[in-house]
Amino acid sequence: MSSETLEPKVTKVTTLSSADARWVELQRIDWEDQTGKPRIWEVAARKTRGSSGIDAVAIAPILLHPSRPDSTLIVLQYRPPVAAVCVEFPAGLIDQGETPEDAAIRELKEETGYEGKVLSISPTIVSDPGMTTANMQLVVMEVSLKEGDPEPQQKLDDGEFIERVVVPLDGLHDKLVQYQKDGYAVDARLYHWAAGLEFARRRK
Amino acid sequence: MSSETLEPKVTKVTTLSSADARWVELQRIDWEDQTGKPRIWEVAARKTRGSSGIDAVAIAPILLHPSRPDSTLIVLQYRPPVAAVCVEFPAGLIDQGETPEDAAIRELKEETGYEGKVLSISPTIVSDPGMTTANMQLVVMEVSLKEGDPEPQQKLDDGEFIERVVVPLDGLHDKLVQYQKDGYAVDARLYHWAAGLEFARRRK
C-alpha cells in the first residue's frame, strides 16, 4: 500500500455537455405509452458498454473459515459522485471481450486479493431504471480459507485506493448502518442484500 | 384500470445536452485524490432533488395474512431507459417538503392501493455511486390483512400504468429469475434484497 496522507475532496462541479463527456452521456428517449401517446424520457447512459451487453459486475464474497464466523468482504473507496467514501461490494466494469464470470474473478482479486470460486450468477439486473440504462450482474463467490492463511495482497491499479474489510454476515446490516452514521455513503445494492439477509435472520 | 391495448415502445434515442434536459444533467467533477493529484469524474445528477436531500424512496412491503404465506408486493411498469417492463419494489421521488416516511406511505398507496405502517427506514443509501449522485431510502412497511379483505384500488396518476403482484417471500428470488427469463428487467436493488433473503433461507 502507498502512504495515504490526504483526504480526497471535490474541488469543483460544473455542468458538462454530452459531446465533451467521455464515459457518460445524456439521452432523450422518445417513446409511446400504452395509449399510443408520444412521450419523452431523459436518461444517462455509459459510453463504455462492451460486447457482453452488461456494464458491470458486483461480487458478494462468502468467506468460509474453520474457526471464524461466515463473513463477507466489503470495500471502501472515495466516490466523487457522492463526495464521500463509499461502502460497496467489490465491483467493476466488464472489460471488452470479458465474460461477467471472468470480470468477477478478476475484480475480486484486484480489489481484495482474495481468490474464490463462482457459486452463482444473477440474471442481468438494472441499477436505477428510472434514470439510467446501467445494468449489471451479481456474482456470489465462495472464498475458502484455512487456519493461519495470511491476508492476501491487493492488486490495485496505480491511483486506486481501496480498503477491504471482512465483516461477519450476522453483523453486516448493523455495520452498514454504523458506517452511514460515521459519514460513509453505503451503496444501495449492498444495503438491500444485507437488509434481505437481516430480515430473514430476524424472522426466524 | 384503463383498457391497455398497446405495447409501449421506444421510437428514437438521441443525445441530449444538459442545457436542454429538465430532469437529469451531466456534471464534471474536479477532485483531488489521496496523493493530491487533480482528477476528473463524470456523473449524472437529478435536477429535482428537494429540501429533504433525498431523491427517492423504495418500499419493501411485508404482507401478513391469517391464511396466506408472508408475502411482498412488487410492481411492473414500462421503463423507457431500459426499454422493458421493469420489476421493482414500489418507489417514487420525494415531493418538495415531504418526509421520506410520508413519501413511502403515499407511494405504496398510489402504486398498489395498500396501506401499511412503517416498520423501519434505512439510512440514506446511494444507488449507483460510480455513475450518479442518486440517493434513496428503503422503507420496510407492514401491511396487515384480514380474511376476506378485498384487493384495494390503486390510485394511479393519469398516464401511469403500473401492475402490482403479490409474491410469497419464500418464492421471491426464483420469481425474479423467471421474470428476467420472460423478458422483464429486474431492478438491482429489489434483486439484491431477494438474494440476501434467499441466501439466509438456504443457509439454515
Side-chain angles (χ1 to χ4, degrees):
Chain A
M1 294 291 291
S2 58
S3 56
E4 293 173 31
T5 49
L6 298 171
E7 287 279 316
K9 64 180 178 200
V10 169
T11 53
K12 196 168 63 168
V13 178
T14 46
T15 303
L16 177 69
S17 76
S18 287
D20 290 340
R22 186 174 157 196
W23 301 94
V24 184
E25 69 176 0
L26 285 191
Q27 294 170 348
R28 169 187 157 138
I29 297 179
D30 286 85
W31 66 291
E32 290 177 7
D33 75 8
Q34 287 81 345
T35 66
K37 185 180 165 192
R39 299 175 68 171
I40 292 164
W41 201 281
E42 297 173 3
V43 62
R46 288 193 182 275
K47 291 182 168 183
T48 52
R49 185 176 293 177
S51 54
S52 70
I54 318 287
D55 292 315
V57 288
I59 302 109
I62 309 299
L63 267 61
L64 305 177
H65 186 277
S67 63
R68 294 186 200 149
D70 292 354
S71 298
T72 191
L73 266 171
I74 56 178
V75 294
L76 310 183
Q77 64 188 312
Y78 186 77
R79 290 294 203 175
V82 296
V85 176
C86 197
V87 184
E88 303 166 60
F89 274 139
L93 298 181
I94 299 173
D95 287 343
Q96 188 61 255
E98 201 177 33
T99 67
E101 287 88 342
D102 291 343
I105 291 165
R106 175 180 57 74
E107 286 286 352
L108 182 68
K109 182 150 184 179
E110 286 176 5
E111 294 195 348
T112 74
Y114 286 90
E115 296 184 55
K117 67 173 185 194
V118 171
L119 288 186
S120 66
I121 183 157
S122 78
T124 303
I125 51 183
V126 291
S127 297
D128 197 358
M131 180 179 178
T132 77
T133 65
N135 65 14
M136 60 170 291
Q137 289 184 288
L138 174 67
V139 180
V140 182
M141 290 183 63
E142 183 179 292
V143 178
S144 287
L145 301 172
K146 292 194 287 292
E147 205 67 64
D149 272 354
E151 192 162 36
Q153 289 282 321
Q154 292 167 291
K155 319 238 180 265
L156 298 176
D157 289 337
D158 206 34
E160 263 193 323
F161 298 88
I162 297 178
E163 186 184 343
R164 64 197 163 173
V165 182
V166 174
V167 182
L169 288 172
D170 287 347
L172 179 62
H173 176 268
D174 293 355
K175 179 95 175 176
L176 297 182
V177 172
Q178 189 60 49
Y179 270 122
Q180 196 263 353
K181 284 184 186 155
D182 293 341
Y184 293 77
V186 176
D187 180 87
R189 293 154 293 185
L190 168 60
Y191 179 83
H192 277 69
W193 194 83
L197 190 74
E198 186 71 4
F199 181 81
R201 235 168 55 81
R202 297 208 176 170
R203 199 171 156 227
K204 280 186 256 185
Chain B
M1 294 293 290
S2 57
S3 54
E4 295 172 30
T5 47
L6 298 171
E7 289 278 318
K9 64 179 178 201
V10 169
T11 52
K12 196 168 62 167
V13 178
T14 46
T15 303
L16 177 68
S17 75
S18 288
D20 290 341
R22 186 173 157 197
W23 301 94
V24 184
E25 68 175 359
L26 284 192
Q27 295 171 348
R28 167 187 159 137
I29 297 179
D30 286 87
W31 66 292
E32 290 177 9
D33 75 9
Q34 287 83 344
T35 67
K37 185 180 167 191
R39 299 176 67 170
I40 291 164
W41 202 280
E42 296 172 4
V43 60
R46 288 193 181 275
K47 292 183 167 182
T48 51
R49 186 177 291 177
S51 53
S52 71
I54 319 286
D55 292 316
V57 289
I59 302 107
I62 310 298
L63 267 62
L64 305 177
H65 186 278
S67 62
R68 294 186 201 150
D70 293 353
S71 298
T72 192
L73 266 171
I74 56 178
V75 293
L76 309 183
Q77 64 188 309
Y78 185 77
R79 292 293 204 175
V82 294
V85 175
C86 198
V87 184
E88 303 166 62
F89 274 140
L93 297 181
I94 299 173
D95 287 343
Q96 189 60 256
E98 199 177 35
T99 67
E101 288 88 342
D102 290 344
I105 292 165
R106 175 180 57 73
E107 286 286 353
L108 182 68
K109 181 151 185 177
E110 286 176 7
E111 293 194 350
T112 73
Y114 286 89
E115 295 184 56
K117 68 174 182 194
V118 172
L119 288 186
S120 66
I121 180 158
S122 80
T124 304
I125 50 183
V126 291
S127 297
D128 197 358
M131 182 181 175
T132 78
T133 66
N135 66 13
M136 60 167 295
Q137 289 185 288
L138 174 67
V139 180
V140 181
M141 291 184 63
E142 182 179 293
V143 178
S144 287
L145 301 172
K146 291 194 290 290
E147 204 68 64
D149 273 353
E151 192 163 35
Q153 288 283 321
Q154 292 167 292
K155 321 237 178 264
L156 298 176
D157 289 338
D158 207 33
E160 265 193 320
F161 298 87
I162 297 177
E163 186 185 343
R164 63 196 164 174
V165 182
V166 174
V167 183
L169 288 172
D170 286 348
L172 179 62
H173 176 268
D174 292 355
K175 179 93 175 179
L176 297 181
V177 171
Q178 189 58 49
Y179 270 122
Q180 197 263 354
K181 285 183 186 154
D182 292 342
Y184 293 78
V186 176
D187 179 87
R189 293 155 293 187
L190 167 60
Y191 179 82
H192 277 69
W193 194 83
L197 189 75
E198 186 70 4
F199 181 82
R201 235 168 56 81
R202 297 208 176 166
R203 202 173 153 222
K204 279 186 263 184

